[in-house]
Amino acid sequence: MSTTNSEIGYVSPKTQVRWIPVIGLEVHCQLKTWTKLFCGCRNEFGATPNSRTCPVCTAQPGALPVLNREALELALRTALALGASVAPTSKFDRKNYFYCDLPKGYQISQFDQPYCTGGGITLESGKRVRLTRIHLEEDAGKAIHDRGDTTLVDLNRAGVPLIESVSEADMQTSQEAFEYLTALKEILQYVGASDCDMEKGSLRCDVNISVRPEGEPWRTKVELKNLNSFRNVQASIEFEIRRQVEAYESGDPAQFPVQETRLFDAEKGVTRSMRRKEDAHDYRYFPEPDLPPITVSAERLDRLRSALPELPTARRARYQKDFGLSAYDAGVLTADRALSEFFETVARLSKLPKEASNWISNELLRNLNDPLLPIRSIDELPFRPHDMSLLLGMLDKGEISGQAGRKVLRAMFETGKSPKDLVASLGLEQVNDSAALDDWCREALVGKDKIIADVRAGKTKAVGALVGPVMKASKGSANPQVVQEILLRLIAEMPS
Amino acid sequence: MSDSKPAPSPANAGAPDVLHIARLARLAIDPRQELELREQFTRILEAFKTLSTLNVDGVEPMTRPTDFTDVMRDDREHSSLGLDETLANAPARIETFFSVPKTIGGEQ
Ligand SMILES: [Zn+2]
């Protein structure tokens, strides 16, 4: 670990006592299968409510669940990518509770024989966050409470495959929790297990958190829910650390944290006690008799392991080594597998890895994040890596200016046309040696006696202030390097 | 686990807490029925205790009636029931949702 003990924990502003937070995360993640876990209904977000249902996922009498092979495959790939050990045999259990979004009255889950245990994630600091286990289970339906006097139930989500990853309570700061989640999400996306889209609920995170004075044993832990972004996970942890420390430091045992579930209110940035879960933990698990056990052979694991894609950490290291990218740029480009593959293709085709890195991590991502454009992901791009590499080639040869390059890229997003065509149709060829350039430069020099004097006195950098106006006059078509040379030449030619 | 559950009194120690079980099943039980239900529950559990008299040393627990393993299906879609059939027996619906009594603040 790169941090020393003296840096860890939260020092109470009131007592100067150092409190150590103890944080563990439970992450539910929907698997990206075509159909549900135990039936052939489509696993699809946003369909008409209750249109993706059948006798199995609505719990009609006599219906028999059958495991989706692909769900197990994705779950196994995730386990291997996280360095976990897969059990040779595992089974399903029924977790019993009654709620309107759970038609069977139980959730099919895994209790004492999860398909995988151990593994973990190494944070940037080198700290290892261990995983306790991952298990496979079905999602519940969706209950909507904020529309009218009744609760509305949609069973499209009932039976969607989930894996729940439970970490050890190895984290001590909100930042570590954030890094852990980011790394976990990257891995899930890289192995193709999940979209991890928190807005669509395909990744959900609960936090278990307690605090203790340095050197003392663990205290009562609190569960935080309703965290629909990584930022909310961080904010709720930070609030909860302060709240628990203040509660203990009040000295009044009636105020001490109790074992409970608290909901995060993102607007106010606070956590609030949910109704105490009295007997909610009494799930009376028992083995699911409708589903036979799962066996996974060592040979199958070897095959799956060798088919895993290169994982983000390895890829980042390779980008730094082979392409000379900074750790930061390598991180930006590998955060998303599709983006990273796009970058590699562009770098290979253009043979300009650094330029590819700059243009993709800045300009391309800027357009992807622009709400005025309908394109949200690499998969939706209307042009190919080949087009992007052509653009970089033109920039590299000085055929177009950087400003023109940005316009062309924008037009590529809008029209999907090739950059060559766009440069021509938009009239963006770089003007390197025309009479127009000389004229624009002469105009720019008018009345700029101070700058001219500075340049003559040897401060050639002063001419930089005039390049902008010339670029503007040329509507971005001028080559700034050439403009600078012309300006210097004109100043030299002026009678003193 | 439960802080609200009263500690069993010595007289009915070991007897099932029917009110707790009813709560888990979201059943409203008339407290006057508690005694009667507890006696019935106790008799059922007694009957099952017969099983405990068998010697099962060295016998693997069996959770399923068959020896099958790895029964799986391909990730292929079958047609769904359709909205009309899915919602046919729903006591109440709003649009294509099932409409049920407000249940916020409950389990999960
Ligand atoms: Zn179904």
Side-chain angles (χ1 to χ4, degrees):
Chain A
M1 259 167 43
S2 68
T3 39
T4 62
N5 271 340
S6 64
E7 287 164 356
I8 284 173
Y10 170 80
V11 178
S12 159
K14 193 169 122 195
T15 60
Q16 304 306 312
V17 170
R18 181 178 299 280
W19 292 80
I20 309 295
V22 180
I23 303 165
L25 298 181
E26 288 172 19
V27 178
H28 285 87
C29 157
Q30 287 182 346
L31 296 175
K32 213 163 71 174
T33 51
W34 185 250
T35 65
K36 293 186 181 181
L37 186 55
F38 299 118
C39 64
C41 290
R42 178 96 74 80
N43 168 12
E44 180 187 27
F45 178 83
T48 305
N50 292 307
S51 63
R52 303 287 180 234
T53 57
C54 74
V56 172
C57 56
T58 56
Q60 305 304 320
L64 195 66
V66 185
L67 180 63
N68 181 341
R69 204 184 300 283
E70 177 69 5
L72 178 63
E73 186 91 358
L74 294 178
L76 291 173
R77 286 161 65 99
T78 305
L80 293 175
L82 288 163
S85 36
V86 171
T89 306
S90 62
K91 67 171 173 75
F92 287 102
D93 300 280
R94 293 185 179 182
K95 177 181 179 177
N96 299 280
Y97 65 91
F98 289 86
Y99 196 55
C100 58
D101 62 7
L102 192 71
K104 293 193 297 296
Y106 57 85
Q107 177 192 24
I108 302 179
S109 180
Q110 297 191 298
F111 181 51
D112 56 345
Q113 288 181 43
Y115 83 93
C116 132
T117 53
I121 282 173
T122 304
L123 307 182
E124 249 170 70
S125 62
K127 174 171 178 165
R128 182 88 174 150
V129 177
R130 293 164 301 159
L131 278 163
T132 314
R133 60 184 274 164
I134 309 177
H135 65 256
L136 193 53
E137 64 185 22
E138 58 176 346
D139 210 341
K142 201 173 168 136
I144 298 165
H145 305 291
D146 56 2
R147 287 182 51 187
D149 302 330
T150 63
T151 290
L152 304 183
V153 180
D154 174 9
L155 297 180
N156 285 353
R157 202 178 69 181
V160 163
L162 288 178
I163 47 175
E164 177 176 347
S165 330
V166 183
S167 85
E168 295 286 322
D170 284 345
M171 289 160 276
Q172 291 173 324
T173 63
S174 65
Q175 179 61 27
E176 287 180 353
F178 180 81
E179 280 181 37
Y180 168 84
L181 283 171
T182 307
L184 181 62
K185 176 178 160 178
E186 278 178 5
I187 288 174
L188 288 161
Q189 289 176 331
Y190 264 68
V191 302
S194 177
D195 293 330
C196 297
D197 185 340
M198 286 189 101
E199 277 174 32
K200 292 181 181 166
S202 68
L203 188 144
R204 310 195 285 270
C205 173
D206 301 334
V207 174
N208 286 307
I209 178 168
S210 64
V211 298
R212 61 182 174 91
E214 201 167 16
E216 285 189 22
W218 289 9
R219 298 193 175 188
T220 308
K221 74 173 178 193
V222 167
E223 186 180 32
L224 308 180
K225 281 182 181 281
N226 200 29
L227 307 166
N228 45 24
S229 71
F230 287 4
R231 291 289 157 211
N232 283 353
V233 171
Q234 279 194 286
S236 70
I237 288 173
E238 277 154 28
F239 174 84
E240 193 58 21
I241 291 170
R242 286 195 304 275
R243 186 190 75 85
Q244 291 188 16
V245 167
E246 275 167 30
Y248 284 123
E249 293 192 339
S250 73
D252 173 8
Q255 311 244 340
F256 288 0
V258 291
Q259 187 159 354
E260 64 177 351
T261 299
R262 296 178 71 87
L263 297 181
F264 183 62
D265 178 338
E267 248 168 66
K268 303 212 166 63
V270 301
T271 64
R272 272 202 207 92
S273 181
M274 216 172 125
R275 188 181 70 91
R276 207 82 68 80
K277 266 194 171 181
E278 294 159 358
D279 26 50
H281 288 301
D282 200 346
Y283 290 126
R284 296 148 296 142
Y285 282 97
F286 64 84
E288 166 59 271
D290 287 345
L291 288 159
I294 308 166
T295 63
V296 182
S297 69
E299 294 76 42
R300 181 175 182 192
L301 288 179
D302 285 343
R303 269 202 313 279
L304 283 171
R305 200 176 281 116
S306 58
L308 281 181
E310 182 186 33
L311 294 171
T313 320
R315 195 166 279 196
R316 272 195 275 283
R318 182 164 62 81
Y319 284 8
Q320 288 174 250
K321 187 166 156 282
D322 292 0
F323 296 140
L325 302 189
S326 70
Y328 178 81
D329 287 340
V332 171
L333 290 169
T334 52
D336 177 82
R337 185 175 165 191
L339 180 73
S340 151
E341 265 144 34
F342 186 88
F343 159 73
E344 281 200 42
T345 314
V346 174
R348 188 163 39 79
L349 291 173
S350 67
K351 302 190 175 59
L352 299 164
K354 284 219 167 145
E355 289 77 0
S357 161
N358 283 338
W359 275 80
I360 290 172
S361 57
N362 295 309
E363 302 307 326
L364 186 105
L365 285 183
R366 193 200 320 283
N367 282 297
L368 273 184
N369 292 327
D370 186 337
L372 296 175
L373 287 168
I375 298 147
R376 287 286 155 272
S377 72
I378 291 290
D379 303 326
E380 296 168 22
L381 287 180
F383 54 88
R384 290 162 310 145
H386 174 69
D387 300 309
M388 186 83 199
S389 75
L390 287 180
L391 177 65
L392 295 180
M394 284 189 278
L395 285 158
D396 189 53
K397 291 194 206 97
E399 291 169 15
I400 54 169
S401 67
Q403 199 183 343
R406 279 189 286 276
K407 277 189 194 158
V408 172
L409 184 61
R410 177 76 177 191
M412 286 162 68
F413 268 85
E414 287 162 351
T415 66
K417 287 190 185 149
S418 100
K420 295 250 189 245
D421 293 347
L422 288 166
V423 166
S425 65
L426 296 171
L428 292 171
E429 289 101 337
Q430 190 129 271
V431 184
N432 282 333
D433 54 355
S434 72
L437 260 186
D438 271 23
D439 287 347
W440 289 325
C441 289
R442 274 197 196 91
E443 264 166 49
L445 285 165
V446 173
K448 296 293 185 303
D449 299 343
K450 168 87 171 81
I451 293 177
I452 295 167
D454 284 350
V455 172
R456 284 200 166 133
K459 291 188 216 155
T460 47
K461 273 189 185 156
V463 85
L466 298 176
V467 173
V470 176
M471 292 303 295
K472 210 170 172 185
S474 78
K475 299 203 171 62
S477 69
N479 180 335
Q481 199 67 45
V482 175
V483 170
Q484 189 153 337
E485 284 161 19
I486 294 174
L487 287 166
L488 291 175
R489 173 169 58 78
L490 290 175
I491 292 172
E493 286 169 8
M494 280 178 178
S496 34
Chain B
M1 203 72 41
S2 152
D3 349 88
S4 64
K5 190 167 97 180
S9 65
N12 59 24
D17 180 350
V18 290
L19 292 184
H20 171 67
I21 291 160
R23 255 196 318 277
L24 290 175
R26 301 286 187 267
L27 293 174
I29 300 282
D30 186 336
R32 282 172 303 187
Q33 283 182 286
E34 185 188 350
L35 189 63
E36 187 193 345
L37 285 168
R38 189 161 64 216
E39 279 166 6
Q40 289 176 359
F41 246 87
T42 306
R43 278 205 301 281
I44 294 168
L45 292 175
E46 283 298 327
F48 273 87
K49 274 190 186 155
T50 313
L51 291 172
S52 314
T53 61
L54 295 172
N55 181 1
V56 290
D57 290 348
V59 180
E60 282 279 301
M62 189 188 84
T63 57
R64 291 157 192 85
T66 67
D67 287 332
F68 295 130
T69 65
D70 307 295
V71 177
M72 292 186 218
R73 42 174 278 273
D74 290 336
D75 189 16
R76 268 205 291 272
E77 186 177 356
H78 65 49
S79 56
S80 287
L81 266 185
L83 288 169
D84 288 341
E85 212 172 338
T86 299
L87 295 163
N89 294 332
R93 56 184 275 192
I94 290 178
E95 295 159 22
T96 65
F97 290 101
F98 294 95
S99 171
V100 303
K102 200 109 184 167
T103 43
I104 197 162
E107 161 63 338
Q108 297 265 305

